[in-house]
Amino acid sequence: MSREIRIACAAIAGILVLYFGMNFLKGKRVLSTDSTYYVKFSNISGLSASNPVFANGFQVGVVNSVIYDYHHNGDVVVQLSANPSLRIPRNSTAEIESDMMGNVKMNLVMNHSEQEFLQPGDTLTGSVNAGMMGKVAEMVPAIERVLPKLDSIMASLNALLADPAVAQTLHNARDVSEQLTTTTAQLNVLLGNVNHRLPGMMDKMDATLANAQQISGQLTGVDFTATFAKVDQTLDKVNHFTQQLSNPNGTLGLLLSDPSMYHNLNQTLLSTDSLLVNLRQHPKRYVHFSLFGRKDN
């Protein structure tokens, strides 16, 4: 083999290796039987060839090319190749999704309620899923409206914190906290003393309960029938004595009910008192003493 032929073969082999290597790096499979589908987008949001295509989180294909449709309102048609075993139900859609790192991928949203499937070469409808960054972008207008109010709130908060009354309140709160700490320590000491004296108190309580049980036992042995009978007899005697006092024919009854007896008794007492006074003042009128046994007239 001549030198020229060897150089030509090496050049052809290099070209083939370069071609297959470039397609391999792009994710394309040359000499494959992948099915080709088309997706129409109004905005591809940075999608380009070699971006992966996923279905239910699993890569099922790759984007082959992106074609701008100059004849239909500027739509963008994306050609993708998928595994020939993939069956896409009708009315399924595709959406473009970007992560926070800027990586773009295409997701096939399967419509599993359909029983019919697309054929290779059919076209799907595509949309853009903004994802987390899109939601953040939607929140930006609301955040912009809130910022002036937030500034006003911060200004009011600064004015409130600058008020000396707030500092005094915080100082009082610190004093209250210290007092609570001291009170808690004293309460712990008190509880410790109570716990220390609790066994003695329990012993005294047991002794009191024992005495109560002893008294209860003694009361159990008392003949309450005989005791109440004696009480009844005493009450009968008191009742009889009361009846005698109430009887106007008795001595005590007359004394209590007859005013003449009261007056006579009172007059007698007065006479007796007068006699005693006269006897004390003139004893010789009533007592005579003589050595010769004679008394004077």
Side-chain angles (χ1 to χ4, degrees):
M1 185 179 295
S2 64
R3 180 179 179 184
E4 290 78 5
I5 295 176
R6 290 197 299 270
I7 293 173
C9 291
I12 293 172
I15 292 172
L16 292 175
V17 170
L18 179 62
Y19 175 76
F20 285 107
M22 292 295 295
N23 284 284
F24 176 77
L25 292 176
K26 291 181 179 181
K28 298 180 180 180
R29 291 185 296 177
V30 183
L31 304 178
S32 66
T33 58
D34 288 348
S35 300
T36 301
Y37 296 92
Y38 298 92
V39 185
K40 184 178 291 187
F41 292 96
S42 59
N43 183 3
I44 59 173
S45 185
L47 185 70
S48 61
S50 303
N51 286 141
V53 178
F54 293 88
N56 298 329
F58 182 80
Q59 184 174 353
V60 295
V62 67
V63 175
N64 285 335
S65 61
V66 178
I67 304 170
Y68 188 82
D69 191 352
Y70 293 94
H71 303 288
H72 295 86
N73 299 325
D75 291 335
V76 180
V77 178
V78 176
Q79 181 186 17
L80 62 90
S81 59
N83 191 301
S85 300
L86 178 66
R87 304 179 68 187
I88 303 175
R90 290 190 177 276
N91 297 323
S92 296
T93 60
E95 61 180 17
I96 298 173
E97 181 179 349
S98 301
D99 57 19
M100 299 189 65
M101 300 300 295
N103 298 320
V104 183
K105 64 181 179 179
M106 181 188 297
N107 291 322
L108 297 178
V109 182
M110 301 294 188
N111 183 14
H112 296 289
S113 61
E114 286 286 345
Q115 300 297 325
E116 297 182 1
F117 300 94
L118 296 176
Q119 299 298 324
D122 289 342
T123 302
L124 292 81
T125 302
S127 61
V128 176
N129 183 359
M132 183 180 296
M133 297 303 296
K135 294 180 180 179
V136 172
E138 293 176 358
M139 292 174 61
V140 169
I143 295 174
E144 291 178 349
R145 291 192 299 269
V146 171
L147 285 178
K149 297 181 180 180
L150 184 61
D151 292 339
S152 176
I153 292 172
M154 293 300 298
S156 301
L157 183 60
N158 291 330
L160 179 63
L161 293 177
D163 191 351
V166 176
Q168 184 63 32
T169 301
L170 295 176
H171 182 72
N172 294 336
R174 184 186 64 184
D175 293 340
V176 170
S177 178
E178 292 177 355
Q179 293 175 2
L180 287 176
T181 303
T182 304
T183 303
T184 303
Q186 294 175 353
L187 183 60
N188 290 333
V189 173
L190 179 61
L191 291 176
N193 294 332
V194 171
N195 292 330
H196 180 71
R197 296 179 181 178
L198 187 60
M201 295 172 62
M202 294 300 296
D203 294 338
K204 292 181 180 179
M205 187 178 294
D206 293 338
T208 303
L209 292 176
N211 293 332
Q213 292 178 355
Q214 183 177 2
I215 293 172
S216 177
Q218 292 176 357
L219 290 176
T220 303
V222 174
D223 189 358
F224 288 100
T225 303
T227 302
F228 285 119
K230 292 179 181 180
V231 172
D232 291 337
Q233 291 177 3
T234 303
L235 292 176
D236 291 338
K237 292 180 180 180
V238 172
N239 189 20
H240 180 68
F241 178 72
T242 304
Q243 290 177 358
Q244 288 181 351
L245 289 177
S246 302
N247 187 6
N249 297 323
T251 303
L252 294 176
L254 290 173
L255 181 61
L256 295 175
S257 61
D258 189 359
S260 60
M261 180 175 289
Y262 168 76
H263 292 302
N264 292 334
L265 182 59
N266 190 25
Q267 187 64 35
T268 302
L269 291 175
L270 291 175
S271 299
T272 303
D273 183 68
S274 179
L275 178 61
L276 290 175
V277 171
N278 194 359
L279 177 63
R280 185 172 64 252
Q281 292 177 354
H282 306 284
K284 292 181 179 182
R285 292 181 183 179
Y286 303 96
V287 179
H288 300 280
F289 179 76
S290 177
L291 293 176
F292 299 100
R294 187 183 63 182
K295 63 179 180 178
D296 297 331
N297 292 327

